[in-house]
Amino acid sequence: MEKEVTIYDIAKRLNYSPATVSRALNDHPAIKLDTKDLITSMAREMGYRSNTFASNLRRQRTNTIGVIVPRLNSSFVSSVLAGMEKVANEAGYNLIISQSLESVTKEKANTQTMFNSRVDGLLVSVAYDTEDIEHFTAFTNKGIPLLFFDRVIGNDQFTSIVIDNAKAGYEATAHLLKLGRRRVMHITGNLKRNVYADRLKGYKQALAEYGIPFDERLVQVTDLSQEVGVEVARQITRMPIRPDGLFVTNDLCAVSCMTTLKQTGLSIPDDVAVVGFNNDPVSQVVNPALTTIHYPGREMGEIAAKSLINHLNGLMDIQATNTIILRSELIIRGSSQK
Amino acid sequence: MEKEVTIYDIAKRLNYSPATVSRALNDHPAIKLDTKDLITSMAREMGYRSNTFASNLRRQRTNTIGVIVPRLNSSFVSSVLAGMEKVANEAGYNLIISQSLESVTKEKANTQTMFNSRVDGLLVSVAYDTEDIEHFTAFTNKGIPLLFFDRVIGNDQFTSIVIDNAKAGYEATAHLLKLGRRRVMHITGNLKRNVYADRLKGYKQALAEYGIPFDERLVQVTDLSQEVGVEVARQITRMPIRPDGLFVTNDLCAVSCMTTLKQTGLSIPDDVAVVGFNNDPVSQVVNPALTTIHYPGREMGEIAAKSLINHLNGLMDIQATNTIILRSELIIRGSSQK
DNA sequence: CTGTTAGCGCTTTCAC
DNA sequence: GTGAAAGCGCTAACAG
């Protein structure tokens, strides 16, 4: 186990002061080029590595961005993270990532950890059951930038990056109605979450526009799991009057529902036309391919990270920019029409 | 912007020494319960947050684990990460995650960053074109534990967590041969990587066992992308003697290949029986469902993190445990037999 | 059970 | 263009 090399060691070896070494290593303009070269090459030779903690402690800055997501293992989330990591990495930031597993309790704990880790900023997509935002006030109090994406909270108080979920919900539903479907069922998630509430809004708006009365029994709030998909399919087969359209706000759930419906002998899209959400890889692969809403996950991640970093570098004020809305898009495939 | 509260502020306010405050906050056994309560509640009241950097600087430990993966947006990787995050979080560790995007250059840069961030340990799955392991010697020199998973390197020198890829490759191939297929094509990745090299080994072994001569032209080294799937399908349709079996070491690629084959009028599994790899969500959804090898991603992540943490806590020596092999499993579905 | 003291490695102000 | 010196906030050895 080698001894750690510090700027003092380099300084001593070269008969410079630690201050000069520090400056040289940080490419400070006031240092002669020769000196810089000398010092950097000696640093390399001696196997020096900068101590981020000492530096952070001193500079009160971490070059680290915290990310809290509901869960890591979803195709949507991983696209978002891939986008974030790319942008952050290029800008010299590290990402600390944690998952709330859809529980506020864990979300709170994670938030605390992030806070203690003194992340320069925080990117959050909230859990299923997050009610208030008290656990984030520590950040706002300290002026640490906080940016919500996808599952956002408190429309006005925080900057958020979203798609137009109402519009997406409207388009999905209107698409089914345009095809002549009149009994469109809607499977969605916890309505506390903007994404689901807004999509429901869009659903209702489309119905209204086509003069179809809203029927509460056709809307189901679930956890959008694959199991739910199976269950919903079972329910549908048992219904006296079956829906002829189905709008599920999650592709995996939609797919498992569709598959189960097919197994019970129903035909997709003839008996039930289906629209999903997210444009998950499975949506292209299922048969018939699933009509869905493309959700620009990677872009969302990139823009979220970029906005935060710009803000940190004083190039932009995310507090001023209240909401960034990305374009989603209806992708029509076989599950809704032949 | 509030002023940062330190243990000194708490100490002054309560007429204790900073040391006592520190101990109380860290739940040191030698502190009276009353004092602890008093101090912790005062800390809460004053809005104290521990400064991880000062603490890390002092303790020479970070409670942070670095993770480097080829890419974030794959279903396999996100399962692994989900497992790691869970275990790490429960043990009080943070995860710094970065992606090499399959490039050694970026992998090296990431490794350096992790090193400077003084992660307590590093979990790595190497990039497509990583040749040597020089960029990790900094870690081994300093005695920082290094653990490879999935795409591992240098069988002996480093601890690694893998599945038995040769066995998996063997099972996939033998399954096809057992069904009477005699011309089994194998689409795989860069043979520098253990995962692909070993699967090829298994493939060859199965052929040998069934007395079928190995035909080089039936093996293709690709990047296993979805585009490759399409291209391979096109090639197959053009071949004078078509393969009757296809073993692709990646589900997404297998699925796109399968789908393209179907489009050109070939029947799966009748004309070509297909086996994939990973048990990606798409494999269950495609029609016919894809026979594949289940890869225990989540478990791999959990075990990798757990082993590293146990090692850090002195509960285990991962240098002694050279290789941990997890069970993979052939999952037979419609794409290989009716 | 609690306090004193020193120092982790770095940056930065002030001085020359 | 470079140096001296202080201090970021915390912990651990030692002392009592």
Side-chain angles (χ1 to χ4, degrees), chain B residues 281-324:
Chain B
V282 297
S283 67
Q284 304 170 42
V285 154
V286 70
N287 191 312
L290 182 64
T291 293
T292 188
I293 303 282
H294 173 69
Y295 197 127
R298 176 172 205 97
E299 288 83 337
M300 185 170 279
E302 288 176 357
I303 289 176
K306 193 161 289 173
S307 306
L308 184 61
I309 291 170
N310 281 343
H311 175 87
L312 289 170
N313 295 333
L315 298 174
M316 170 185 176
D317 183 7
I318 56 169
Q319 320 295 7
T321 320
N322 201 271
T323 307
I324 298 174

mmCIF file of all heavy atoms in Angstrom, chain B residues 281-324:
data_model
loop_
_atom_site.group_PDB
_atom_site.id
_atom_site.type_symbol
_atom_site.label_atom_id
_atom_site.label_comp_id
_atom_site.label_asym_id
_atom_site.label_seq_id
_atom_site.Cartn_x
_atom_site.Cartn_y
_atom_site.Cartn_z
ATOM 1 N N PRO B 281 -36.740 -8.159 -21.468
ATOM 2 C CA PRO B 281 -38.206 -8.101 -21.568
ATOM 3 C C PRO B 281 -38.732 -8.360 -22.985
ATOM 4 O O PRO B 281 -39.756 -9.018 -23.141
ATOM 5 C CB PRO B 281 -38.530 -6.681 -21.125
ATOM 6 C CG PRO B 281 -37.441 -6.317 -20.190
ATOM 7 C CD PRO B 281 -36.227 -7.082 -20.613
ATOM 8 N N VAL B 282 -38.032 -7.879 -23.977
ATOM 9 C CA VAL B 282 -38.539 -8.093 -25.334
ATOM 10 C C VAL B 282 -38.631 -9.565 -25.702
ATOM 11 O O VAL B 282 -39.454 -9.936 -26.534
ATOM 12 C CB VAL B 282 -37.677 -7.388 -26.419
ATOM 13 C CG1 VAL B 282 -37.674 -5.892 -26.252
ATOM 14 C CG2 VAL B 282 -36.269 -7.937 -26.449
ATOM 15 N N SER B 283 -37.821 -10.389 -25.088
ATOM 16 C CA SER B 283 -37.807 -11.794 -25.491
ATOM 17 C C SER B 283 -39.129 -12.487 -25.171
ATOM 18 O O SER B 283 -39.533 -13.416 -25.857
ATOM 19 C CB SER B 283 -36.650 -12.532 -24.817
ATOM 20 O OG SER B 283 -36.854 -12.608 -23.428
ATOM 21 N N GLN B 284 -39.801 -12.009 -24.146
ATOM 22 C CA GLN B 284 -41.073 -12.636 -23.775
ATOM 23 C C GLN B 284 -42.204 -12.158 -24.651
ATOM 24 O O GLN B 284 -43.257 -12.759 -24.729
ATOM 25 C CB GLN B 284 -41.424 -12.294 -22.324
ATOM 26 C CG GLN B 284 -40.342 -12.693 -21.360
ATOM 27 C CD GLN B 284 -40.604 -12.143 -19.984
ATOM 28 O OE1 GLN B 284 -41.738 -12.155 -19.507
ATOM 29 N NE2 GLN B 284 -39.562 -11.632 -19.339
ATOM 30 N N VAL B 285 -41.973 -11.039 -25.272
ATOM 31 C CA VAL B 285 -43.060 -10.329 -25.906
ATOM 32 C C VAL B 285 -43.113 -10.608 -27.407
ATOM 33 O O VAL B 285 -44.165 -10.587 -28.022
ATOM 34 C CB VAL B 285 -42.863 -8.826 -25.598
ATOM 35 C CG1 VAL B 285 -43.488 -7.967 -26.655
ATOM 36 C CG2 VAL B 285 -43.399 -8.516 -24.217
ATOM 37 N N VAL B 286 -41.957 -10.857 -27.966
ATOM 38 C CA VAL B 286 -41.898 -11.079 -29.398
ATOM 39 C C VAL B 286 -42.678 -12.355 -29.754
ATOM 40 O O VAL B 286 -42.918 -13.206 -28.903
ATOM 41 C CB VAL B 286 -40.416 -11.217 -29.838
ATOM 42 C CG1 VAL B 286 -39.820 -12.507 -29.334
ATOM 43 C CG2 VAL B 286 -40.251 -11.066 -31.325
ATOM 44 N N ASN B 287 -43.079 -12.435 -31.022
ATOM 45 C CA ASN B 287 -43.858 -13.582 -31.437
ATOM 46 C C ASN B 287 -43.164 -14.314 -32.569
ATOM 47 O O ASN B 287 -42.911 -13.720 -33.603
ATOM 48 C CB ASN B 287 -45.242 -13.109 -31.892
ATOM 49 C CG ASN B 287 -46.180 -14.282 -32.080
ATOM 50 O OD1 ASN B 287 -45.831 -15.277 -32.713
ATOM 51 N ND2 ASN B 287 -47.354 -14.149 -31.510
ATOM 52 N N PRO B 288 -42.863 -15.582 -32.427
ATOM 53 C CA PRO B 288 -42.990 -16.373 -31.202
ATOM 54 C C PRO B 288 -41.992 -15.916 -30.142
ATOM 55 O O PRO B 288 -40.968 -15.348 -30.487
ATOM 56 C CB PRO B 288 -42.656 -17.783 -31.669
ATOM 57 C CG PRO B 288 -41.768 -17.592 -32.851
ATOM 58 C CD PRO B 288 -42.241 -16.330 -33.522
ATOM 59 N N ALA B 289 -42.344 -16.166 -28.893
ATOM 60 C CA ALA B 289 -41.461 -15.756 -27.794
ATOM 61 C C ALA B 289 -40.079 -16.372 -27.979
ATOM 62 O O ALA B 289 -39.949 -17.489 -28.483
ATOM 63 C CB ALA B 289 -42.054 -16.192 -26.470
ATOM 64 N N LEU B 290 -39.092 -15.618 -27.584
ATOM 65 C CA LEU B 290 -37.713 -16.005 -27.845
ATOM 66 C C LEU B 290 -37.143 -16.918 -26.772
ATOM 67 O O LEU B 290 -37.129 -16.573 -25.593
ATOM 68 C CB LEU B 290 -36.854 -14.740 -27.949
ATOM 69 C CG LEU B 290 -35.367 -14.895 -28.276
ATOM 70 C CD1 LEU B 290 -35.190 -15.490 -29.661
ATOM 71 C CD2 LEU B 290 -34.668 -13.547 -28.178
ATOM 72 N N THR B 291 -36.673 -18.065 -27.205
ATOM 73 C CA THR B 291 -35.898 -18.924 -26.316
ATOM 74 C C THR B 291 -34.600 -18.183 -26.003
ATOM 75 O O THR B 291 -33.978 -17.625 -26.897
ATOM 76 C CB THR B 291 -35.578 -20.251 -27.011
ATOM 77 O OG1 THR B 291 -36.803 -20.970 -27.202
ATOM 78 C CG2 THR B 291 -34.629 -21.104 -26.173
ATOM 79 N N THR B 292 -34.212 -18.197 -24.756
ATOM 80 C CA THR B 292 -33.066 -17.364 -24.395
ATOM 81 C C THR B 292 -32.376 -17.893 -23.153
ATOM 82 O O THR B 292 -32.830 -18.861 -22.548
ATOM 83 C CB THR B 292 -33.530 -15.900 -24.179
ATOM 84 O OG1 THR B 292 -32.398 -15.059 -24.017
ATOM 85 C CG2 THR B 292 -34.423 -15.788 -22.961
ATOM 86 N N ILE B 293 -31.271 -17.264 -22.810
ATOM 87 C CA ILE B 293 -30.591 -17.618 -21.574
ATOM 88 C C ILE B 293 -30.911 -16.545 -20.544
ATOM 89 O O ILE B 293 -30.630 -15.366 -20.767
ATOM 90 C CB ILE B 293 -29.065 -17.671 -21.781
ATOM 91 C CG1 ILE B 293 -28.678 -18.640 -22.891
ATOM 92 C CG2 ILE B 293 -28.366 -18.010 -20.468
ATOM 93 C CD1 ILE B 293 -28.699 -20.090 -22.519
ATOM 94 N N HIS B 294 -31.491 -16.972 -19.467
ATOM 95 C CA HIS B 294 -31.747 -16.002 -18.408
ATOM 96 C C HIS B 294 -30.441 -15.608 -17.747
ATOM 97 O O HIS B 294 -29.689 -16.447 -17.275
ATOM 98 C CB HIS B 294 -32.697 -16.574 -17.366
ATOM 99 C CG HIS B 294 -32.837 -15.667 -16.181
ATOM 100 N ND1 HIS B 294 -33.477 -14.449 -16.275
ATOM 101 C CD2 HIS B 294 -32.390 -15.761 -14.911
ATOM 102 C CE1 HIS B 294 -33.418 -13.837 -15.094
ATOM 103 N NE2 HIS B 294 -32.763 -14.621 -14.250
ATOM 104 N N TYR B 295 -30.206 -14.291 -17.700
ATOM 105 C CA TYR B 295 -28.983 -13.787 -17.089
ATOM 106 C C TYR B 295 -29.372 -13.086 -15.790
ATOM 107 O O TYR B 295 -30.114 -12.113 -15.814
ATOM 108 C CB TYR B 295 -28.343 -12.779 -18.044
ATOM 109 C CG TYR B 295 -26.895 -12.485 -17.739
ATOM 110 C CD1 TYR B 295 -25.927 -12.597 -18.716
ATOM 111 C CD2 TYR B 295 -26.491 -12.087 -16.481
ATOM 112 C CE1 TYR B 295 -24.604 -12.322 -18.456
ATOM 113 C CE2 TYR B 295 -25.174 -11.813 -16.194
ATOM 114 C CZ TYR B 295 -24.229 -11.932 -17.184
ATOM 115 O OH TYR B 295 -22.923 -11.652 -16.908
ATOM 116 N N PRO B 296 -28.881 -13.544 -14.665
ATOM 117 C CA PRO B 296 -29.334 -12.983 -13.388
ATOM 118 C C PRO B 296 -28.676 -11.632 -13.097
ATOM 119 O O PRO B 296 -27.788 -11.536 -12.268
ATOM 120 C CB PRO B 296 -28.909 -14.043 -12.379
ATOM 121 C CG PRO B 296 -27.714 -14.681 -12.999
ATOM 122 C CD PRO B 296 -27.884 -14.617 -14.479
ATOM 123 N N GLY B 297 -29.143 -10.597 -13.776
ATOM 124 C CA GLY B 297 -28.523 -9.276 -13.686
ATOM 125 C C GLY B 297 -28.631 -8.663 -12.294
ATOM 126 O O GLY B 297 -27.639 -8.216 -11.710
ATOM 127 N N ARG B 298 -29.838 -8.654 -11.792
ATOM 128 C CA ARG B 298 -30.066 -8.054 -10.489
ATOM 129 C C ARG B 298 -29.206 -8.726 -9.425
ATOM 130 O O ARG B 298 -28.530 -8.066 -8.644
ATOM 131 C CB ARG B 298 -31.558 -8.182 -10.150
ATOM 132 C CG ARG B 298 -31.875 -7.686 -8.823
ATOM 133 C CD ARG B 298 -33.355 -7.599 -8.497
ATOM 134 N NE ARG B 298 -33.468 -6.576 -7.476
ATOM 135 C CZ ARG B 298 -33.787 -5.332 -7.740
ATOM 136 N NH1 ARG B 298 -34.076 -4.960 -8.962
ATOM 137 N NH2 ARG B 298 -33.808 -4.443 -6.768
ATOM 138 N N GLU B 299 -29.213 -10.054 -9.431
ATOM 139 C CA GLU B 299 -28.409 -10.804 -8.466
ATOM 140 C C GLU B 299 -26.927 -10.474 -8.640
ATOM 141 O O GLU B 299 -26.202 -10.331 -7.659
ATOM 142 C CB GLU B 299 -28.592 -12.316 -8.662
ATOM 143 C CG GLU B 299 -29.924 -12.870 -8.236
ATOM 144 C CD GLU B 299 -30.988 -12.694 -9.314
ATOM 145 O OE1 GLU B 299 -30.846 -11.796 -10.180
ATOM 146 O OE2 GLU B 299 -31.969 -13.449 -9.273
ATOM 147 N N MET B 300 -26.521 -10.383 -9.876
ATOM 148 C CA MET B 300 -25.114 -10.089 -10.113
ATOM 149 C C MET B 300 -24.756 -8.749 -9.487
ATOM 150 O O MET B 300 -23.721 -8.607 -8.834
ATOM 151 C CB MET B 300 -24.808 -10.080 -11.609
ATOM 152 C CG MET B 300 -23.344 -9.888 -11.896
ATOM 153 S SD MET B 300 -22.913 -10.156 -13.619
ATOM 154 C CE MET B 300 -22.796 -11.937 -13.685
ATOM 155 N N GLY B 301 -25.634 -7.766 -9.676
ATOM 156 C CA GLY B 301 -25.402 -6.456 -9.087
ATOM 157 C C GLY B 301 -25.354 -6.531 -7.576
ATOM 158 O O GLY B 301 -24.462 -5.961 -6.927
ATOM 159 N N GLU B 302 -26.303 -7.264 -7.015
ATOM 160 C CA GLU B 302 -26.362 -7.362 -5.556
ATOM 161 C C GLU B 302 -25.111 -8.026 -5.007
ATOM 162 O O GLU B 302 -24.509 -7.552 -4.048
ATOM 163 C CB GLU B 302 -27.606 -8.147 -5.132
ATOM 164 C CG GLU B 302 -28.892 -7.363 -5.326
ATOM 165 C CD GLU B 302 -30.132 -8.182 -5.005
ATOM 166 O OE1 GLU B 302 -29.998 -9.377 -4.681
ATOM 167 O OE2 GLU B 302 -31.242 -7.608 -5.092
ATOM 168 N N ILE B 303 -24.735 -9.127 -5.631
ATOM 169 C CA ILE B 303 -23.587 -9.871 -5.123
ATOM 170 C C ILE B 303 -22.296 -9.091 -5.312
ATOM 171 O O ILE B 303 -21.431 -9.075 -4.437
ATOM 172 C CB ILE B 303 -23.513 -11.248 -5.807
ATOM 173 C CG1 ILE B 303 -24.671 -12.097 -5.272
ATOM 174 C CG2 ILE B 303 -22.192 -11.942 -5.533
ATOM 175 C CD1 ILE B 303 -24.806 -13.434 -5.915
ATOM 176 N N ALA B 304 -22.185 -8.423 -6.438
ATOM 177 C CA ALA B 304 -20.989 -7.617 -6.670
ATOM 178 C C ALA B 304 -20.859 -6.567 -5.567
ATOM 179 O O ALA B 304 -19.807 -6.440 -4.925
ATOM 180 C CB ALA B 304 -21.072 -6.941 -8.036
ATOM 181 N N ALA B 305 -21.937 -5.831 -5.337
ATOM 182 C CA ALA B 305 -21.893 -4.780 -4.319
ATOM 183 C C ALA B 305 -21.644 -5.373 -2.939
ATOM 184 O O ALA B 305 -20.815 -4.891 -2.172
ATOM 185 C CB ALA B 305 -23.190 -3.982 -4.344
ATOM 186 N N LYS B 306 -22.362 -6.448 -2.652
ATOM 187 C CA LYS B 306 -22.241 -7.055 -1.333
ATOM 188 C C LYS B 306 -20.817 -7.556 -1.084
ATOM 189 O O LYS B 306 -20.254 -7.354 -0.012
ATOM 190 C CB LYS B 306 -23.264 -8.188 -1.186
ATOM 191 C CG LYS B 306 -23.449 -8.673 0.232
ATOM 192 C CD LYS B 306 -24.762 -9.441 0.394
ATOM 193 C CE LYS B 306 -25.982 -8.541 0.313
ATOM 194 N NZ LYS B 306 -27.256 -9.268 0.303
ATOM 195 N N SER B 307 -20.233 -8.201 -2.073
ATOM 196 C CA SER B 307 -18.879 -8.729 -1.908
ATOM 197 C C SER B 307 -17.907 -7.591 -1.647
ATOM 198 O O SER B 307 -17.066 -7.668 -0.750
ATOM 199 C CB SER B 307 -18.437 -9.458 -3.177
ATOM 200 O OG SER B 307 -19.386 -10.430 -3.524
ATOM 201 N N LEU B 308 -18.057 -6.537 -2.428
ATOM 202 C CA LEU B 308 -17.145 -5.416 -2.274
ATOM 203 C C LEU B 308 -17.280 -4.804 -0.879
ATOM 204 O O LEU B 308 -16.288 -4.526 -0.201
ATOM 205 C CB LEU B 308 -17.443 -4.365 -3.344
ATOM 206 C CG LEU B 308 -16.499 -3.184 -3.366
ATOM 207 C CD1 LEU B 308 -15.084 -3.629 -3.634
ATOM 208 C CD2 LEU B 308 -16.925 -2.173 -4.429
ATOM 209 N N ILE B 309 -18.498 -4.635 -0.453
ATOM 210 C CA ILE B 309 -18.736 -4.007 0.850
ATOM 211 C C ILE B 309 -18.241 -4.906 1.978
ATOM 212 O O ILE B 309 -17.621 -4.439 2.932
ATOM 213 C CB ILE B 309 -20.229 -3.663 1.008
ATOM 214 C CG1 ILE B 309 -20.586 -2.528 0.046
ATOM 215 C CG2 ILE B 309 -20.562 -3.264 2.436
ATOM 216 C CD1 ILE B 309 -22.055 -2.239 -0.072
ATOM 217 N N ASN B 310 -18.512 -6.187 1.849
ATOM 218 C CA ASN B 310 -18.000 -7.117 2.850
ATOM 219 C C ASN B 310 -16.482 -7.047 2.922
ATOM 220 O O ASN B 310 -15.901 -7.039 4.006
ATOM 221 C CB ASN B 310 -18.421 -8.545 2.518
ATOM 222 C CG ASN B 310 -19.850 -8.810 2.913
ATOM 223 O OD1 ASN B 310 -20.430 -8.056 3.700
ATOM 224 N ND2 ASN B 310 -20.438 -9.861 2.368
ATOM 225 N N HIS B 311 -15.887 -6.968 1.780
ATOM 226 C CA HIS B 311 -14.434 -6.853 1.739
ATOM 227 C C HIS B 311 -13.988 -5.575 2.446
ATOM 228 O O HIS B 311 -13.060 -5.582 3.255
ATOM 229 C CB HIS B 311 -13.962 -6.852 0.291
ATOM 230 C CG HIS B 311 -12.492 -6.628 0.128
ATOM 231 N ND1 HIS B 311 -11.587 -7.657 0.161
ATOM 232 C CD2 HIS B 311 -11.773 -5.502 -0.043
ATOM 233 C CE1 HIS B 311 -10.373 -7.167 0.010
ATOM 234 N NE2 HIS B 311 -10.454 -5.861 -0.127
ATOM 235 N N LEU B 312 -14.652 -4.491 2.147
ATOM 236 C CA LEU B 312 -14.290 -3.204 2.754
ATOM 237 C C LEU B 312 -14.450 -3.251 4.271
ATOM 238 O O LEU B 312 -13.709 -2.612 5.011
ATOM 239 C CB LEU B 312 -15.162 -2.089 2.181
ATOM 240 C CG LEU B 312 -14.879 -1.698 0.721
ATOM 241 C CD1 LEU B 312 -15.957 -0.760 0.201
ATOM 242 C CD2 LEU B 312 -13.509 -1.049 0.608
ATOM 243 N N ASN B 313 -15.428 -4.005 4.710
ATOM 244 C CA ASN B 313 -15.663 -4.108 6.144
ATOM 245 C C ASN B 313 -14.857 -5.231 6.783
ATOM 246 O O ASN B 313 -15.088 -5.587 7.940
ATOM 247 C CB ASN B 313 -17.150 -4.314 6.427
ATOM 248 C CG ASN B 313 -17.952 -3.101 6.014
ATOM 249 O OD1 ASN B 313 -17.435 -1.985 6.001
ATOM 250 N ND2 ASN B 313 -19.213 -3.318 5.675
ATOM 251 N N GLY B 314 -13.972 -5.797 6.013
ATOM 252 C CA GLY B 314 -13.105 -6.835 6.562
ATOM 253 C C GLY B 314 -13.807 -8.147 6.841
ATOM 254 O O GLY B 314 -13.285 -9.004 7.535
ATOM 255 N N LEU B 315 -15.005 -8.313 6.287
ATOM 256 C CA LEU B 315 -15.767 -9.536 6.553
ATOM 257 C C LEU B 315 -15.418 -10.642 5.554
ATOM 258 O O LEU B 315 -15.896 -11.760 5.662
ATOM 259 C CB LEU B 315 -17.261 -9.265 6.469
ATOM 260 C CG LEU B 315 -17.807 -8.259 7.473
ATOM 261 C CD1 LEU B 315 -19.272 -7.987 7.176
ATOM 262 C CD2 LEU B 315 -17.641 -8.803 8.885
ATOM 263 N N MET B 316 -14.604 -10.255 4.599
ATOM 264 C CA MET B 316 -14.396 -11.191 3.491
ATOM 265 C C MET B 316 -13.194 -10.672 2.735
ATOM 266 O O MET B 316 -12.907 -9.489 2.757
ATOM 267 C CB MET B 316 -15.641 -11.117 2.623
ATOM 268 C CG MET B 316 -15.562 -11.825 1.304
ATOM 269 S SD MET B 316 -17.085 -11.488 0.388
ATOM 270 C CE MET B 316 -16.690 -12.302 -1.129
ATOM 271 N N ASP B 317 -12.510 -11.574 2.074
ATOM 272 C CA ASP B 317 -11.403 -11.109 1.258
ATOM 273 C C ASP B 317 -11.671 -11.445 -0.192
ATOM 274 O O ASP B 317 -11.560 -12.590 -0.602
ATOM 275 C CB ASP B 317 -10.086 -11.752 1.732
ATOM 276 C CG ASP B 317 -8.907 -11.211 0.938
ATOM 277 O OD1 ASP B 317 -9.104 -10.272 0.150
ATOM 278 O OD2 ASP B 317 -7.808 -11.743 1.117
ATOM 279 N N ILE B 318 -12.058 -10.453 -0.958
ATOM 280 C CA ILE B 318 -12.390 -10.767 -2.344
ATOM 281 C C ILE B 318 -11.163 -11.117 -3.175
ATOM 282 O O ILE B 318 -11.291 -11.691 -4.236
ATOM 283 C CB ILE B 318 -13.185 -9.646 -3.063
ATOM 284 C CG1 ILE B 318 -12.456 -8.316 -3.013
ATOM 285 C CG2 ILE B 318 -14.579 -9.533 -2.505
ATOM 286 C CD1 ILE B 318 -13.066 -7.291 -3.920
ATOM 287 N N GLN B 319 -9.994 -10.761 -2.686
ATOM 288 C CA GLN B 319 -8.795 -11.160 -3.429
ATOM 289 C C GLN B 319 -8.637 -12.669 -3.348
ATOM 290 O O GLN B 319 -8.131 -13.299 -4.276
ATOM 291 C CB GLN B 319 -7.538 -10.489 -2.865
ATOM 292 C CG GLN B 319 -7.698 -9.049 -2.452
ATOM 293 C CD GLN B 319 -8.010 -8.101 -3.591
ATOM 294 O OE1 GLN B 319 -8.240 -8.535 -4.701
ATOM 295 N NE2 GLN B 319 -8.063 -6.816 -3.299
ATOM 296 N N ALA B 320 -9.092 -13.224 -2.239
ATOM 297 C CA ALA B 320 -8.982 -14.667 -2.068
ATOM 298 C C ALA B 320 -10.024 -15.383 -2.929
ATOM 299 O O ALA B 320 -9.727 -16.369 -3.598
ATOM 300 C CB ALA B 320 -9.180 -15.027 -0.602
ATOM 301 N N THR B 321 -11.232 -14.891 -2.870
ATOM 302 C CA THR B 321 -12.283 -15.467 -3.707
ATOM 303 C C THR B 321 -12.051 -15.013 -5.132
ATOM 304 O O THR B 321 -12.329 -13.875 -5.473
ATOM 305 C CB THR B 321 -13.669 -14.945 -3.288
ATOM 306 O OG1 THR B 321 -13.717 -14.879 -1.882
ATOM 307 C CG2 THR B 321 -14.757 -15.803 -3.836
ATOM 308 N N ASN B 322 -11.558 -15.874 -5.961
ATOM 309 C CA ASN B 322 -11.168 -15.376 -7.265
ATOM 310 C C ASN B 322 -12.326 -15.144 -8.197
ATOM 311 O O ASN B 322 -12.440 -14.114 -8.841
ATOM 312 C CB ASN B 322 -10.167 -16.317 -7.914
ATOM 313 C CG ASN B 322 -9.405 -15.587 -8.976
ATOM 314 O OD1 ASN B 322 -9.814 -15.553 -10.107
ATOM 315 N ND2 ASN B 322 -8.321 -14.918 -8.562
ATOM 316 N N THR B 323 -13.192 -16.116 -8.286
ATOM 317 C CA THR B 323 -14.282 -15.994 -9.241
ATOM 318 C C THR B 323 -15.584 -16.447 -8.610
ATOM 319 O O THR B 323 -15.634 -17.482 -7.948
ATOM 320 C CB THR B 323 -14.011 -16.878 -10.483
ATOM 321 O OG1 THR B 323 -12.717 -16.559 -10.987
ATOM 322 C CG2 THR B 323 -15.038 -16.631 -11.549
ATOM 323 N N ILE B 324 -16.606 -15.658 -8.800
ATOM 324 C CA ILE B 324 -17.933 -16.058 -8.345
ATOM 325 C C ILE B 324 -18.762 -16.315 -9.586
ATOM 326 O O ILE B 324 -18.849 -15.474 -10.477
ATOM 327 C CB ILE B 324 -18.579 -14.947 -7.497
ATOM 328 C CG1 ILE B 324 -17.733 -14.679 -6.250
ATOM 329 C CG2 ILE B 324 -20.005 -15.314 -7.118
ATOM 330 C CD1 ILE B 324 -18.203 -13.499 -5.436
#
